[in-house]
């Protein structure tokens, strides 16, 4: 798989610094679709690709029960794009994928999806398992969306990004090292360098800048202060001061969810990128801290925890009657 998809495996930096040059956002399958297996939808984080999960997937497939009952889907996207626009793309691509593999919308698989998001991928996944109401919108604007001035196409896109309802297809979520409350690194010199190097597509940058400038008087004070530099990159939006990020963290999660976070050494309270206080969400069905840096999913305890959570889901979701599998192009073949 690595040999046949080397271009994808090495595209993480390009997809961060030059969003949408390669990965416009799509869900890809690493094996033929099986209508009887529960999909694990894996959402990678900043400057990475689906290959960041290679060892995790190998570990999961080495467990006979997990291999027999689960299949693996990946969301491959440009990580420099604004977080909520990537989240919108994930929601749209999930529905498109379901229409392709299950046009009758009748399969067990498409109604029992487990999502696992790492780092920024966890923020994107959060929008699958929660409903926004108008809370995200009100974190930026003091008027309803109909009164927003600017490019109508971009205004509609923002409205779709800010208003969403939980996807009933997703039945459980696992967050790994997710900065629900932001990461101080986004405001550090490293984050500043990344923000200065990321080049959003010209039209996206122009449309977002136009909306920001033409709606100055209707923005909240917090939004006006946060976007005064007109920086709309994903790294900027990972700041603990981003009003949208803080509003997203407060949205109740409508399914069982689990948190896994790393701690570099005793008493650190951080994996080196995200602090425990940022990764923690009240109401989690389980929470595990492992001795690890930011890629906590590569820790053996973390992998065992993912297997435990998946088995817990199997107890809640009885095995379906077997239906014939549909052969679709694999991930490497598609690439």
């Amino acid at each position: 798989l690595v040999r046949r998809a080397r271009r994808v495996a090495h595209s993480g930096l390009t997809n961060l610094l030059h969003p949408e040059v390669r990965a416009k956002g799509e869900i890809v399958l690493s094996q033929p679709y099986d209508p009887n297996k529960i999909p694990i939808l894996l959402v990678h984080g900043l400057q990475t690709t689906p290959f960041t999960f290679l060892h995790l997937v190998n570990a999961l497939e080495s467990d006979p029960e997990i291999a027999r009952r689960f299949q693996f889907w990946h969301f491959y996207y440009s990580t420099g794009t604004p977080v909520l626009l990537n989240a919108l793309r994930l929601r749209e691509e999930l529905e498109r994928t379901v229409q392709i593999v299950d046009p009758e919308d009748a399969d067990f698989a498409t109604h029992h999806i487990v999502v696992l998001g790492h780092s920024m991928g966890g923020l994107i996944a959060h929008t699958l398992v929660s409903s926004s109401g108008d809370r995200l919108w009100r974190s930026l604007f003091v008027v309803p969306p109909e009164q927003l001035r600017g490019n109508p196409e971009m205004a509609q896109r923002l409205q779709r990004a800010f208003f969403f309802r939980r996807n009933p297809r997703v039945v459980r979520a696992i967050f790994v090292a997710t900065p629900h409350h932001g990461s101080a690194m986004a405001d550090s010199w490293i984050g500043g360098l990344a923000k200065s190097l990321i080049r959003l597509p010209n039209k996206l940058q122009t449309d977002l800048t136009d909306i920001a400038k033409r709606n100055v008087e209707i923005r909240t004070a917090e939004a006006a202060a946060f976007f005064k530099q007109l920086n709309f990159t994903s790294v900027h939006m990972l700041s603990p001061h981003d009003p949208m990020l803080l509003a997203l963290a407060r949205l109740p999660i409508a399914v069982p969810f689990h948190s896994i976070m790393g701690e570099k050494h005793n008493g650190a309270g951080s994996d080196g990128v995200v602090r425990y206080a940022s990764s923690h969400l009240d109401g989690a069905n389980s929470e595990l801290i492992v001795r690890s840096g930011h890629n906590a999913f590569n820790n053996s305890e973390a992998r065992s925890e993912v297997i435990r959570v998946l088995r817990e889901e199997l107890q809640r979701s009885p095995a379906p009657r077997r239906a014939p599998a549909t052969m679709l192009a694999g991930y490497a073949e598609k690439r």
Side-chain angles (χ1 to χ4, degrees):
L1 180 63
V2 173
R3 179 179 57 81
R4 297 182 64 183
R6 187 175 289 111
R7 182 177 64 84
V8 173
H10 293 92
S11 64
L13 184 60
T14 298
N15 291 337
L16 170 67
L17 300 181
H18 303 284
E20 300 193 19
V21 170
R22 287 185 180 174
K24 298 183 182 300
E26 59 184 333
I27 290 175
V28 290
L29 281 61
S30 60
Q31 53 200 171
Y33 170 70
D34 190 322
N36 305 296
K37 290 185 175 182
I38 297 173
I40 305 174
L41 175 57
L42 297 155
V43 187
H44 62 82
L46 194 72
Q47 198 184 326
T48 61
T49 73
F51 281 90
T52 194
F53 294 121
L54 182 63
H55 297 301
L56 172 63
V57 171
N58 283 342
L60 296 179
E61 289 192 316
S62 295
D63 184 286
E65 184 178 27
I66 300 301
R68 182 172 60 86
R69 294 293 308 279
F70 290 91
Q71 59 190 309
F72 299 93
W73 297 7
H74 298 266
F75 181 52
Y76 175 48
Y77 66 101
S78 294
T79 62
T81 306
V83 174
L84 286 183
L85 292 184
N86 273 329
L88 170 62
R89 192 62 177 254
L90 171 61
R91 297 194 299 273
E92 292 176 342
E93 285 300 301
L94 181 55
E95 286 308 306
R96 188 179 77 88
T97 300
V98 168
Q99 290 172 11
I100 292 172
V101 301
D102 181 19
E104 300 298 325
D105 197 18
D107 292 346
F108 171 85
T110 56
H111 292 86
H112 293 82
I113 298 171
V114 174
V115 63
L116 185 152
H118 171 243
S119 193
M120 187 174 71
L123 301 177
I124 295 171
H126 192 159
T127 71
L128 290 176
V129 293
S130 61
S131 299
S132 65
D134 64 353
R135 282 167 284 191
L136 295 186
W137 185 265
R138 286 192 289 109
S139 72
L140 287 194
F141 302 105
V142 297
V143 300
E146 310 83 63
Q147 298 182 31
L148 193 68
R149 294 188 291 272
N151 180 285
E153 181 181 351
M154 176 53 66
Q156 290 180 355
R157 188 177 175 188
L158 288 178
Q159 187 171 345
R160 296 199 312 274
F162 278 77
F163 291 87
F164 51 84
R165 296 183 64 82
R166 66 152 294 213
N167 190 323
R169 301 182 186 281
V170 181
V171 297
R172 191 177 294 264
I174 304 172
F175 300 110
V176 182
T178 298
H180 296 288
H181 304 282
S183 171
M185 187 169 286
D187 294 333
S188 69
W189 71 268
I190 297 176
L193 178 62
K195 288 183 280 190
S196 69
L197 294 175
I198 295 173
R199 295 289 180 265
L200 295 179
N202 288 335
K203 179 170 174 35
L204 176 60
Q205 178 67 37
T206 299
D207 288 348
L208 290 174
T209 299
D210 179 60
I211 284 179
K213 290 182 175 179
R214 295 183 61 182
N215 295 278
V216 172
E217 71 282 2
I218 64 172
R219 287 187 291 170
T220 64
E222 295 79 7
F226 185 70
F227 288 104
K228 62 183 178 182
Q229 296 177 333
L230 299 177
N231 190 303
F232 306 104
T233 66
S234 60
V235 174
H236 187 56
M237 294 180 182
L238 293 176
S239 166
H241 304 291
D242 180 0
M244 292 182 299
L245 183 67
L246 299 179
L248 177 63
R250 291 191 289 267
L251 295 183
I253 296 175
V255 301
F257 72 95
H258 309 263
S259 297
I260 301 173
M261 50 273 279
E263 185 176 47
K264 295 194 74 171
H265 54 79
N266 282 339
S270 171
D271 61 17
V273 176
V274 179
R275 295 189 62 80
Y276 166 81
S278 180
S279 290
H280 172 78
L281 282 181
D282 291 339
N285 288 58
S286 67
E287 182 178 277
L288 177 68
I289 301 174
V290 299
R291 184 60 55 82
S292 170
H294 190 51
N295 287 350
F297 52 82
N298 281 330
N299 174 279
S300 60
E301 290 181 62
R303 293 174 185 170
S304 295
E305 172 68 358
V306 173
I307 291 174
R308 185 197 67 79
V309 169
L310 296 180
R311 286 176 175 163
E312 185 175 308
E313 180 57 37
L314 290 180
Q315 293 177 0
R316 198 180 71 152
S317 301
R321 291 181 299 174
R322 302 299 295 178
T326 302
M327 298 296 291
L328 293 181
Y331 176 60
E333 293 175 11
K334 183 171 184 178
R335 292 291 161 192

